[in-house]
Amino acid sequence: MKIEFYGAAGCVTGSSHLLKIKDKKILLDCGLYQGKDEKERGNDTFNFNPKDIDYVILSHAHIDHSGRIPLLYKQGFKGNIICTEGTKELCSIMLEDSGHIQEMEIEWLNRKRMRMGQPLIEPLYTAKIAQLSSYLFQGYPYNQWIEIFDGFKVRFRDAGHLLGSSIVEMIITEDEKETKLVFSGDLGNKGIPILNDPTFIDDADYLIMETTYGNKLHENISNNLKELVNIIKSTFKKGGNVVIPSFAVGRTQEVLYALNKYIESDILKNIKVFVDSPLASETTTIYNKFTKYYDKEATTLVESGDNPLEFDGLTFTKSPEESLKINKIKSGAIIISASGMCEAGRIKHHLKHNLWRKESSIVFVGYQAEGTLGRAILNGVKKVKIFGEEIAVNATIYNLQGLSGHADREGLITWLDSFKNKPKAVLLVHGEEESQNSFKELLDNKGYNSFIMKSGDTFIPGSEVKERSEVKEKIMALLDSLKDIDKMDKDLLLAKIKESI
Ligand SMILES: [Zn+2]
Ligand SMILES: [Zn+2]
């Protein structure tokens, strides 16, 4: 057995690790690079031949874990995608939406290219391709062993990070020897609304573990929720709106659940809440369908006849016309819109209409990757460019990271310490450098054998070492040097490749 690390290795987005067992190739996640990672690494080519992949095991539906599945399909993958029922359902809407975004972005770019006399380019994949790839998904319940092929079985455990999110347990039998590999996926934040806390796992020989917040402690969730109420009240008093950039899938439903509580207990009165994201509306319908995944508190509410994702004053806007109408509201509205990192979607319109107003507030409730518009606003820039227009940042900016869907440093270590036996090696992924170094130091001090996995690294269980092949080093260096070359400039590209050989 061998594990090769490609995406979310040395960074947060683009999760993908290639597991080689006997003659089979299994991809753990197939995520899209976003923000800085996308600019540096690009999404259009894989480090392997998609036709050679036999299965994809998908930890959860977030685009940074699933977003390149349609491209994998487009480039020849025809195997099965194994995941939970919830992940399958969420992916059926999320990947199509991602396809729409790709098409729209390329259409916009092509209009510009046409004016400049440049050749047109193709989207990464279309909504149609995404739809077709959804037939490859096979959804399973939690806690059930699934035999994928002779010598390889998997079981999904609730990761408490997103509806249907999972920690993947894998048992590999080679030469009559069993090895247990666990992939943490993204681990949930203890106490977040609706979902259960991450499941504790008994044992693993080897563990691939996320480290998004390996160096940070979140604020207390209930304090953050109280702060949200105060922000809403004070913003409305000033005569502004509260804009919440939020992942359409997961975070939006958690925020709605919290607002439902405050509105039904009269802590917040007479407010208008707009969920301005068609994807968020569809996702809410899926959340309503999968109440079996809910935690105790949410289940009690459902059993008492209350739908915790519905309340007076809540509007899900569908058409662009309805969305435009929100721009006319100057005060008293909570606008929840996607994308969560402000890179695309309707949120950009709401930021354009509210960022420059000192009466309004922008509340971040999720992770902002390096290089995204969200991160720039959070970092305190005074001006941003939205749709080519310069917008001043005068609104008050809040960062409620306690509402994060990810476990913090303490959550991560508590989860790891709960293993009854220490894994032989902990392979760290899905984290920025600072976070990974800090978390590795903690693991070293606690006596764990851990490795930070970078893109291109290989780990061979049994030998307990990570390898970095020279060929890979060369290819990575070559790709690096090609970064600035225009995609269509083939002669220059060929010359560079020849030069490097
Ligand atoms: Zn995630
Ligand atoms: Zn992730």
Side-chain angles (χ1 to χ4, degrees), residues 101 116 160:
I101 294 174
M116 287 160 76

Side-chain angles (χ1 to χ4, degrees), residues 60 62 64-65 161 186 406:
H60 66 290
H62 277 149
D64 63 312
H65 295 255
H161 164 74
D186 286 359
H406 283 275

Side-chain angles (χ1 to χ4, degrees), residues 154-354:
V154 305
R155 179 165 73 165
F156 297 106
R157 313 299 300 275
D158 193 348
H161 164 74
L162 170 74
L163 192 92
S165 67
S166 66
I167 299 159
V168 189
E169 294 181 293
M170 290 163 270
I171 292 187
I172 296 119
T173 314
E174 278 176 318
D175 305 324
E176 290 174 20
K177 194 176 161 273
E178 269 193 4
T179 306
K180 185 170 173 193
L181 173 68
V182 170
F183 173 36
S184 72
D186 286 359
L187 293 168
N189 186 8
K190 200 166 178 266
I192 47 169
I194 310 173
L195 302 176
N196 287 304
D197 292 342
T199 311
F200 287 151
I201 304 296
D202 279 348
D203 53 9
D205 292 306
Y206 301 95
L207 170 65
I208 303 171
M209 183 175 180
E210 71 118 324
T211 50
T212 319
Y213 286 112
N215 61 340
K216 284 202 181 85
L217 292 177
H218 293 325
E219 280 173 50
N220 181 291
I221 289 186
S222 54
N223 287 352
N224 264 191
L225 289 175
K226 274 179 213 148
E227 201 181 336
L228 178 63
V229 172
N230 292 336
I231 294 167
I232 293 168
K233 285 184 175 169
S234 66
T235 307
F236 289 176
K237 219 173 181 178
K238 282 191 289 183
N241 293 320
V242 176
V243 178
I244 307 181
S246 169
F247 295 105
V249 180
R251 193 57 30 78
T252 294
Q253 290 71 34
E254 289 152 26
V255 171
L256 286 181
Y257 181 93
L259 290 175
N260 173 70
K261 247 195 329 207
Y262 295 121
I263 287 165
E264 297 201 339
S265 58
D266 271 352
I267 294 172
L268 289 171
K269 286 178 203 159
N270 302 324
I271 59 168
K272 297 185 281 284
V273 180
F274 295 95
V275 174
D276 189 28
S277 151
L279 182 63
S281 309
E282 285 180 73
T283 305
T284 307
T285 312
I286 294 179
Y287 265 68
N288 286 329
K289 186 171 152 190
F290 278 89
T291 51
K292 65 177 178 188
Y293 289 164
Y294 284 15
D295 67 5
K296 237 183 179 170
E297 189 192 86
T299 305
T300 312
L301 281 177
V302 172
E303 282 169 355
S304 74
D306 179 27
N307 179 344
L309 303 179
E310 234 176 58
F311 47 84
D312 287 342
L314 170 64
T315 311
F316 289 94
T317 45
K318 290 195 179 76
S319 65
E321 293 73 32
E322 282 175 275
S323 171
L324 277 173
K325 271 190 197 157
I326 304 174
N327 296 337
K328 296 205 176 84
I329 304 174
K330 293 284 166 271
S331 176
I334 299 174
I335 305 158
I336 306 169
S337 187
S339 72
M341 298 194 217
C342 312
E343 285 291 273
R346 294 180 180 178
I347 186 65
K348 289 173 95 173
H349 292 278
H350 301 300
L351 288 174
K352 187 178 154 189
H353 286 89
N354 286 281

Side-chain angles (χ1 to χ4, degrees), residues 71-136:
L71 183 68
L72 195 76
Y73 169 78
K74 183 177 157 184
Q75 296 187 0
F77 168 73
K78 295 290 178 290
N80 287 326
I81 300 153
I82 320 283
C83 58
T84 65
E85 294 160 318
T87 298
K88 177 185 171 184
E89 197 101 358
L90 284 178
C91 277
S92 72
I93 56 169
M94 289 171 74
L95 294 179
E96 204 181 319
D97 180 77
S98 171
H100 274 302
I101 294 174
Q102 310 284 349
E103 285 180 62
M104 266 158 34
E105 278 177 358
I106 293 300
E107 207 184 297
W108 182 81
L109 261 179
N110 275 343
R111 275 203 296 270
K112 224 163 113 180
R113 290 178 77 93
M114 220 144 47
R115 287 193 294 270
M116 287 160 76
Q118 286 176 347
L120 303 187
I121 47 176
E122 260 189 40
L124 209 53
Y125 54 85
T126 59
K128 182 82 200 153
I129 293 278
Q131 216 178 43
L132 289 171
S133 71
S134 69
Y135 293 108
L136 303 177

